[in-house]
Amino acid sequence: MPSFIKPLREEKVFKDPVHNYVHVQDRTIWSLINTSEFQRLRRIRQLGTTYLTFHGAEHSRFSHSLGVYEITRRIISQFERGGYPDWPVEENMVAMCAALLHDLGHGPFSHSIEEAFQMDHEDWTCKIILGDTDVNRVLKEVSADLPERVASVIRKDYEQEIVVNLITSPLDADRMDYLLRDAYFTGVNYGTIDIDRILRMLRPHNGRIVVKESGMHAVEDYLMSRYQMYWQVYFHPVTRSSEIILRQIFRRAAELHKEGYAFEFLPQPLPGLFVNELSVKEYLKLDESLIQTTFMQWSDEKDPILRELCCRFLHRRLYKYVEVDSIDMETIDEIRASFEQVGLHPEYDFEIDFPTDLPYDVFRPDDSGMGNGIILIDKQGKLREISEVSDIIRSISGLHRGKYHLYYPHHKLSSVISRLPAHIASIFPISAD
Ligand code: ZN
């Protein structure tokens, strides 16, 4: 059992569909879970708009964060039991707090909102940990420098690199949890990895986490599942369509706000969000309930663009898409110009998307082969990057299998398709009638 600073008199457990149980044995972890900032994560979905594609994907950042904590706790316990000198036991508390709090700064529909307002959830996580918050007070009770140490792990500049490695690396507690959890809640058959075996094979070694060579096949399985999840779930073009609409709503609302438009409904802290001036206290008021309520109200706004976008999002009238191998800037400009000529909006009725622009990474070891890779260690202590050893991993590493997707409102485009130049109309799979 890891050495805790303040053990609870009685262990607390959460029933969890992925790990069966999440065990809390330390008073500080228990107090952190009960802060208002951590409880807010119940109101933020882990996969944003993915529930519009896979209806089961309603799980929250709260359950994922508990899962990352649980995996980290298990790894640490095992390192302690093994008595490995390369694991710094005095870092147990920092590692578990960082695991639990690593997603604390996620906003509602985080990827779309971050794209629309150039925000960064990691920055917000650190601001919440270091600011005037309950999380900060709980951490400070342990030691005055704990908030800064936890924030430093999140920023990936913590002096003990092995702690950062545990939370952020190609085989880290974060990825292992979201892969299993997202597979479970979307209902896809990929992503069911043998996590017990992987965890048993991890070893602390010289400032980083490595994998015993005999665990290679379990890691292969993990990377294959991850590869399948990216294409099956994370890059799903229908999910991307809903994200585009969401981003357009934020963009339109910010435009209107800038023009001085009088909204019939504009709750706090949205005005601050539009101009990128939010205090920590205001930021913490943002959750998906507030955003959904706002969209419901905006579906009656005077502005026709905002009204239409909100109806589309709420009632799942998503944009259709067509896949193309390549497209040049000239054609894009021509599409926008001819859309405008027939009364469509060049910015809102056409969007172009390339799946690998998404903030997820497919496994890609860097050139040196060691830096960001997954390192295997053999009986003699020799280190090798997994793609050097595994044919399967080599074949999927760094693969760039993306196509452009052009998004458009099907009904609107159908009604004007006959008036578009033939070579533009032929790009879209709509027949003129
Ligand atoms: Zn996470």
Side-chain angles (χ1 to χ4, degrees):
M1 199 202 279
S3 50
F4 296 119
I5 295 168
K6 290 189 287 180
L8 282 164
R9 197 170 307 136
E10 211 172 89
E11 179 185 76
K12 307 275 185 188
V13 285
F14 291 83
K15 188 82 185 86
D16 183 82
V18 174
H19 305 301
N20 200 14
Y21 288 104
V22 171
H23 303 259
V24 178
Q25 295 145 340
D26 186 86
R27 201 174 291 277
T28 302
I29 298 295
W30 181 242
S31 301
L32 286 173
I33 293 169
N34 289 310
T35 58
S36 59
E37 297 91 19
F38 191 79
Q39 291 289 321
R40 165 184 165 273
L41 297 179
R42 290 183 189 268
R43 304 189 299 276
I44 306 225
R45 290 184 186 86
Q46 173 68 11
L47 285 180
T49 63
T50 301
Y51 70 96
L52 291 168
T53 314
F54 297 92
H55 64 256
E58 294 276 357
H59 55 304
S60 67
R61 294 260 169 212
F62 179 89
S63 67
H64 162 66
S65 300
L66 285 183
V68 177
Y69 152 79
E70 174 63 13
I71 292 178
T72 304
R73 187 195 66 80
R74 285 168 60 184
I75 296 173
I76 291 174
S77 310
Q78 183 196 301
F79 287 174
E80 279 215 323
R81 275 199 310 272
Y84 303 111
D86 283 15
W87 174 254
V89 285
E90 65 282 5
E91 301 294 340
N92 285 358
M93 200 62 210
V94 176
M96 285 191 300
C97 291
L100 185 72
L101 302 176
H102 78 286
D103 274 347
L104 195 60
H106 269 286
F109 304 110
S110 25
H111 296 312
S112 316
I113 215 167
E114 284 182 19
E115 266 181 83
F117 300 112
Q118 285 93 50
M119 297 192 311
D120 179 56
H121 65 264
E122 251 165 47
D123 277 359
W124 279 109
T125 300
C126 292
K127 280 186 196 165
I128 297 167
I129 290 171
L130 300 171
D132 177 16
T133 56
D134 289 343
V135 162
N136 181 271
R137 280 182 280 279
V138 171
L139 294 172
K140 263 197 197 139
E141 271 175 33
V142 179
S143 71
D145 65 343
L146 188 56
E148 179 45 44
R149 286 165 72 198
V150 173
S152 172
V153 176
I154 309 281
R155 286 194 305 261
K156 306 179 197 68
D157 58 13
Y158 191 52
E159 54 188 10
Q160 287 276 12
E161 273 177 61
I162 195 162
V163 181
V164 179
N165 208 233
L166 192 61
I167 318 287
T168 323
S169 72
L171 186 66
D172 62 15
D174 184 19
R175 282 178 177 77
M176 283 190 261
D177 183 80
Y178 76 60
L179 196 61
L180 286 165
R181 197 168 298 277
D182 296 346
Y184 177 88
F185 283 98
T186 52
V188 302
N189 290 322
Y190 307 111
T192 45
I193 54 171
D194 186 352
I195 187 161
D196 292 338
R197 178 154 174 82
I198 293 180
L199 296 191
R200 274 202 310 276
M201 294 293 142
L202 298 181
R203 294 287 178 273
H205 178 83
N206 230 342
R208 64 179 300 163
I209 313 278
V210 299
V211 187
K212 263 176 79 177
E213 201 178 31
S214 51
M216 183 175 90
H217 298 299
V219 178
E220 276 179 345
D221 217 36
Y222 156 82
L223 289 173
M224 289 303 287
S225 307
R226 198 167 125 185
Y227 179 82
Q228 298 284 5
M229 282 295 284
Y230 284 122
W231 295 107
Q232 184 96 345
V233 177
Y234 303 135
F235 293 162
H236 200 292
V238 174
T239 305
R240 202 55 191 158
S241 177
S242 51
E243 283 175 356
I244 284 171
I245 291 171
L246 202 51
R247 209 174 54 209
Q248 289 189 340
I249 295 176
F250 291 134
R251 199 211 305 167
R252 183 62 184 170
E255 270 171 17
L256 292 172
H257 181 71
K258 205 170 160 199
E259 289 166 11
Y261 172 87
F263 284 88
E264 287 186 29
F265 184 79
L266 189 63
Q268 293 298 339
L270 294 190
L273 173 71
F274 294 155
V275 292
N276 224 327
E277 279 171 23
L278 287 175
S279 65
V280 170
K281 201 172 161 206
E282 287 168 329
Y283 185 81
L284 289 166
K285 290 213 164 79
L286 285 174
D287 62 24
E288 288 176 10
S289 325
L290 177 85
I291 297 295
Q292 300 265 25
T293 305
T294 303
F295 290 177
M296 185 56 88
Q297 296 294 326
W298 284 354
S299 63
D300 292 322
E301 270 291 344
K302 297 174 296 294
D303 179 68
I305 296 178
L306 185 63
R307 195 171 62 219
E308 183 195 316
L309 289 170
C310 289
C311 289
R312 279 188 179 282
F313 187 79
L314 289 173
H315 312 311
R316 200 189 176 280
R317 296 194 199 114
L318 305 181
Y319 294 146
K320 296 273 189 262
Y321 67 94
V322 55
E323 204 174 69
V324 293
D325 289 329
S326 66
I327 187 157
D328 52 44
M329 270 319 286
E330 212 176 306
T331 315
I332 295 172
D333 290 343
E334 235 186 306
I335 293 174
R336 292 225 156 94
S338 47
F339 270 35
E340 195 166 13
Q341 265 173 10
V342 296
L344 297 182
H345 199 297
E347 301 298 330
Y348 286 98
D349 290 326
F350 176 72
E351 289 273 0
I352 180 154
D353 187 55
F354 191 70
T356 48
D357 291 344
L358 282 168
Y360 295 101
D361 52 339
V362 181
F363 181 66
R364 203 171 296 152
D366 67 4
D367 294 338
S368 72
M370 288 289 188
N372 295 318
I374 294 175
I375 308 301
L376 300 177
I377 187 164
D378 69 13
K379 288 200 180 79
Q380 285 74 41
K382 189 168 179 281
L383 304 179
R384 276 185 303 175
E385 208 286 318
I386 191 166
S387 57
E388 274 178 52
V389 190
S390 160
D391 293 336
I392 296 175
I393 300 312
R394 203 166 30 247
S395 70
I396 59 162
S397 294
L399 270 194
H400 189 71
R401 197 201 71 175
K403 286 191 174 188
Y404 289 93
H405 291 130
L406 313 182
Y407 288 90
Y408 57 92
H410 188 85
H411 285 299
K412 271 168 108 177
L413 188 57
S414 311
S415 64
V416 294
I417 195 87
S418 58
R419 288 159 55 208
L420 288 175
H423 69 288
I424 296 294
S426 67
I427 296 172
F428 301 92
I430 294 171
S431 51
D433 37 36

